[in-house]
Amino acid sequence: MPNLSTASSTADAAPVDLETSAGESDHEALRLWLRLLTCTNLIEGDIRSRLRQDFAVTLPRFDLMSQLDRHPEGLKMGELSRRMMVTGGNVTGITDQLQQEGLVTREALPTDRRAYLIRLTPAGREAFSHMARAHEAWIEQLFSGLVESDRRALFRLLGRLKTSLTTP
């Protein structure tokens, strides 16, 4: 657990993120985890803000459209929920909004009346394509503070971490 006792009681001394709440006495693995989490939160916050400002869209809406863009044949609601790691209710609410805006279609499956297949409409595909190009440029900009060799090294090291976490 990070050592928070060193923080002053004034608002100016409050930690600005999770990483700054960790002290030198905390385990290196904990500090590394907090640094990863802080970087993730900073990047996600920036992307959320830009999506809202430039496209008046939320990150969950962007994520749902991204999943559908990768699967032009469509996805069942349950599969969307699993891929996005959110509840079925969240997917239903987002899908309802996107359908009202003409960005997705919802088709009942003849083999299972309880299941629906969700697809991007041509307008949805066009809107997502525009957002995806901007999103990619934002990500490139956010990582521009690292030289290419550092980005490759970070990618390789995070890949090793991912493998170690998923290997029994």
Side-chain angles (χ1 to χ4, degrees):
M1 175 113 319
N3 181 0
L4 298 177
S5 63
T6 59
S8 156
S9 62
T10 66
D12 292 339
V16 294
D17 56 44
L18 295 170
E19 181 185 358
T20 57
S21 66
E24 286 297 317
S25 64
D26 290 310
H27 294 282
E28 183 180 49
L30 175 62
R31 290 187 323 210
L32 179 58
W33 157 243
L34 291 173
R35 179 162 291 175
L36 283 168
L37 186 57
T38 297
C39 288
T40 299
N41 289 340
L42 289 169
I43 292 167
E44 184 178 314
D46 187 272
I47 296 300
R48 282 180 187 276
S49 176
R50 291 178 191 227
L51 284 169
R52 193 173 35 255
Q53 179 181 339
D54 293 2
F55 299 104
V57 71
T58 64
L59 185 56
R61 284 171 57 119
F62 177 85
D63 288 344
L64 188 143
M65 293 176 77
S66 175
Q67 290 296 325
L68 294 175
D69 186 65
R70 290 186 194 108
H71 298 277
E73 73 282 4
L75 290 170
K76 290 182 184 178
M77 297 283 276
E79 181 64 15
L80 274 169
S81 176
R82 187 184 68 74
R83 288 172 182 267
M84 293 176 63
M85 296 183 280
V86 298
T87 67
N90 288 354
V91 169
T92 299
I94 296 168
T95 300
D96 288 346
Q97 294 169 1
L98 292 172
Q99 186 177 17
Q100 288 173 1
E101 295 170 25
L103 300 174
V104 301
T105 60
R106 181 188 330 227
E107 303 167 22
L109 291 174
T111 56
D112 184 354
R113 289 198 231 187
R114 297 169 298 153
Y116 292 95
L117 191 65
I118 310 304
R119 289 189 180 116
L120 285 174
T121 63
R125 193 163 303 287
E126 184 178 328
F128 178 75
S129 176
H130 188 64
M131 286 186 279
R133 284 191 304 275
H135 178 268
E136 184 175 354
W138 300 334
I139 296 296
E140 286 179 20
Q141 181 185 23
L142 288 167
F143 281 89
S144 67
L146 297 175
V147 296
E148 186 178 346
S149 60
D150 286 346
R151 288 191 305 265
R152 282 196 306 262
L154 182 58
F155 185 79
R156 181 181 50 77
L157 290 169
L158 289 173
R160 286 175 49 190
L161 175 61
K162 180 181 174 182
T163 298
S164 77
L165 295 171
T166 58
T167 302

